[in-house]
Every structure is written in structure tokens, then in C-alpha cells.
Amino acid sequence: MLAPFLQLLFGKEELLRVEPAWTFSGASVTNHIKYVISQVIIHYDNNKVYALAFICIVILVSIFFKNLFTYLGFRVLSPMRNYVMTKLRSDLFDKILELPIGYFTEQRKGDIISRMSNDANEIEFSVMSTLEGLIREPLTVLIVLVSLVLLSPQLSFFLLVLLPATGFIIGRLSKSLKKQSTDAQERYGLLMSILDETLTGLRIIKAFNAEGLIGKRFFAVNDGLGNLRNKMNFRRDMASPVSEFLGVFVLCCILWFGGKLVLSNQADLNAEGFITYILLFTQIIQPAKNLAGSFSSARKGGAAVARIEEILQAAIVVKEPEAPKVLAQFSHSIEFKNVSFAYNDVTILKNINLTIEKGKTVALVGSSGAGKSTLADLVPRFHDVTEGELLIDGVNIKDLSLQSLRNQISIVTQEPILFNDTIASNICLGKQDATQAQIEDAAKVANAYQFILKKEEGFATNIGDRGSKLSGGERQRLTIARAVLKNPPILILDEATSSLDTESERLVQDAINNMMQNRTSIVIAHRLSTIRHADEIIVLSKGEIAERGTHDSLITKGGIYQRLVEMQEVR
């Protein structure tokens, strides 16, 4: 901007005394500004200070608009980028909530967290941040190439032979970036898994002096990740300088080839046109350099996209029916009719026939791996049966809406599952509109009311990560209070007392007995003393019902159940 105006100011060019004709071009704008500067100089009797001030104002106004439009460009691009990332994270979390429980048995929790955090960030910085360059730079290169072809088809033919060769070299450089990036994301997921296991099992690690072993595992993965990322960065950072060198190499080839043609008068343009052609070609180098960097970043981010797509495109095995029926209330029975279940071609349950009448308690007994938890998980449709039918009040549960089905069921697990929130929020997880009085009543039924009152903030006390601020018995009583408040007709109890001390066990067992009154209960039994009064005991062996009956009748048979009782020395 400065050069043409300063030449006019310092007398290197003649003042324009006649207003130039207007055309829609940069040259016309420049000429009009020169005319205005000339009129200022003439008006003030060749006092060029005023003209210098005008030039400064023109520059300031131009730079102001340049930066204004740059800012407005960011104002458009930034919300777009943030919206895409917000939507991506929301879709990913929504899919995690939809996926069946079986999906997560084969996935490391740390790896899923890595995809949600590190991979999403990689997409944001590697793909979304280069989006502008991936749109703008190809357009710039295309416009310049078209201009070059129009200026000299002869030289442009030579150019179009060289450019694909340079593009191939740059492409080869970035080709392995996606594979390396996939390896890096997987290592990061493994790193997060080790961290999660370390935080969860820190007490055991210290007790067994295993800090060195766990540290060695973490440091090995971490060092490998660091080395891999260095290789990726070296390759990515090579793209820009290599593209610039190749661009200048092509420029030199054109300069030699075109210059030879011009000197021998064989070219389709004169010397001035050749110089213009060379100057115009130099406008390709920077966009091509930027495009190479953007392309390499996009390839690197492509691995993160693929890892997130694995989750987004994972099959939903347990699907909501197209025309779901609503289970308003549980009235009669739960019936397993020739039910079999297999996972990854391994048969877990085989030919189960079982009817659980309303108000009855059925206990599931058997050795580890017999299929007790899987059988119980079929009722709330955590898994779908492979063969046969599972009916509630005569209706196949696959025809019921998932929400209405699960509204009729509460689950108390062997390991208490609590969230980093207040006691009240954990209790009312299944009934968000519960009043304070209802929360307190549920706590009383669960024998939790007294210990809650002793807390400094009562029901508003934060219980920490996974309820770490509470004892084992207190955590379990909160999960029972949560189940009581939901007030469902069907209970699934995975022996909630097996890991507690004697006093806590008595309090929790009393709470369970209170909760089971007038409800249909499926009890997964580890301590056989807790199911002596069950209406029916189902003994599972290798996925099949081996024995069934009451406690006394099974003892009389002298089969698997009796041996299990003898092993626990319970009569």
C-alpha cells in the first residue's frame, strides 16, 4: 500500500489532475486514492504534510477493516467449531448411555474415557482448527492456477506435470500419520486404564508394596507414547518445509525452462508477461505450504475420528421396540420359557424354564460362573435372550418400553454404586421429584437415617467419589434407601451383605428384609444362610437349572445345594 503513494508524495510520479475512470479493480481503487492525494497536495499549495496525514489515515482505515473482517471470520468459524465439538461429545455420551452393558465388558474404561477426552480434543485441534485452511487454501491455489493457464498455456502444461509429482511426495510423508496416530490414541487409552486401576486399587498397591511394579507399567507405556508422538510430530512438521522446498524447486524449473523459451523467442508470452507469470506462481507457495500442514494435521486427526466412530456406530443390541407397550404395573408373574443366552458364541444359559409369582422370593444359587447374575440381568433387559421368551404378565419384555419395564424394578448390587454428590441426591436417583419427607422415610426403612443425622450436613453431605467418605455398611444402606424410595414391585438383590462386617451385615440385612416385604424378589445368594426362607431356590450349574425347591427339600435331596451348604458349614 505504501509504495505507490509514497512515490507520489516524494515526487517520483506526476500528480493526477484528472479523475481516472472507475472500474471494479484494485488498480482503479489505487488510482482514485492517488487522485485524492494529488488534490490534497494541490489544494494546500504543494504542502505535502497534509497528504502524508491522509496517507496515514488511509492505511489505518485499511488495516482496521482488514482486522475487522479477520475478527468477523473468527466470529463465524469459532461457534461452528465449538458447536461441532459440543454435538460430537453429546452424541458420544448419548451413545454410551444407549449401549448395552455387554459392550463394556470387553472395553477398558480408561480407553473409553480417552476417546471422550483425548480423541475429541485431537479432532478439535487437528481437524476443526485446520478447517479454514482446508477450504481457503485449495481455492487460492485453484484461482492462481487458472490465472497461470490463462496467462501461458505452454508454461502451465509444464507446471501441471511437476505439481502432481510434488503432491505425491508430500502425500507419502503424511500417509503413515493416521496409523501412528491410532497407535498413539490406543496407548493413551491404556495409560488412562492404568491410572484408573491405580486410583481404584491404591490401598492394595501400597499394602503389597507394588508401587514399583505399577509404576514400571505406567512409565513403559508413557515413554512409548512420548516416543511415538515425537515421530508423529517430526513427520507432520516436515510437511511444511518440504512443500516450500518443492515449491521453490518447481519455481526454479519454470524459471529455467520458461526463461530459455523467452530468450529464444519460442514462448507464448513476452519478457514482461514471463515476470508476471513468475510473480503470480510465487503466490502458490505459501497456500500450498499451509495446505500441506493442514492436510497432515487432518490425517493425524482422522485416527481420532475413526476411534470415536467405533463407538458411535456400535450396534445397539437391546433396542426399544417400534411400537412399545407400557407396563403400567406388575400384576401376575415373571416367566422364563425355554430361555437360552449366548455371548460371543459362548453359551451362558441353556433352556431355563422358571416362573416367579408376584410377591414370591426366588433365590439363585450356584458356583461362580454358573450364570446367576446373567439370569437376573435378563429381567431388566440388560441383555436380550438368544432363544426362548421372557414374559412379564404374559407379555414378552422385548415388546415393552425399556423405561416402563425398568420403572418396575430396583437393583441392589454386591458392590455399592454411588455418585460423587449429596446423600439426598443419591437416594432420589430413581425418583427425582421425591420430597424431603419421602427421602427420610426411605432412609429409615434402610436403617440409614441415624448415621445420616450424625453427619455434619445431614442429607446435604457430599459422599465423595464412589461414596469414599462413607463406610461399607453406610454405602450399602444408601443403595437400599435408593431402591426403597423408587418403591418398585420387583427387586433384584445381588447378595448385598457378603462383604460387610457382622454389625453392618445385621443392619443391612434388616433393611433388606424391610424392603422385601410385599415385593417380588430375585436374590443372587452367596451366603446361603440369608435365603433359608426363600419361596424357591434355583440351583444353577453350567448355565442350566440343576436343582430347585425350598431349603429343606433341597437339603433332603443331598445334591449340589447340600454340598454348598456343607462347604459354608450352614445347617
Side-chain angles (χ1 to χ4, degrees), residues 421-429 436 439 452 458-461 463 478 485:
D421 207 336
T422 63
I423 289 175
S425 295
N426 273 279
I427 292 176
C428 67
L429 182 69
Q436 183 65 28
I439 293 172
I452 293 172
F459 283 86
T461 302
I463 62 174
L478 280 193
L485 181 61

Side-chain angles (χ1 to χ4, degrees), residues 319-340:
K319 297 180 180 178
E320 186 79 20
E322 292 183 5
K325 298 177 182 178
V326 176
L327 183 63
Q329 62 180 17
F330 173 56
S331 304
H332 306 297
S333 64
I334 303 169
E335 186 178 0
F336 294 78
K337 294 179 68 175
N338 301 316
V339 166
S340 296

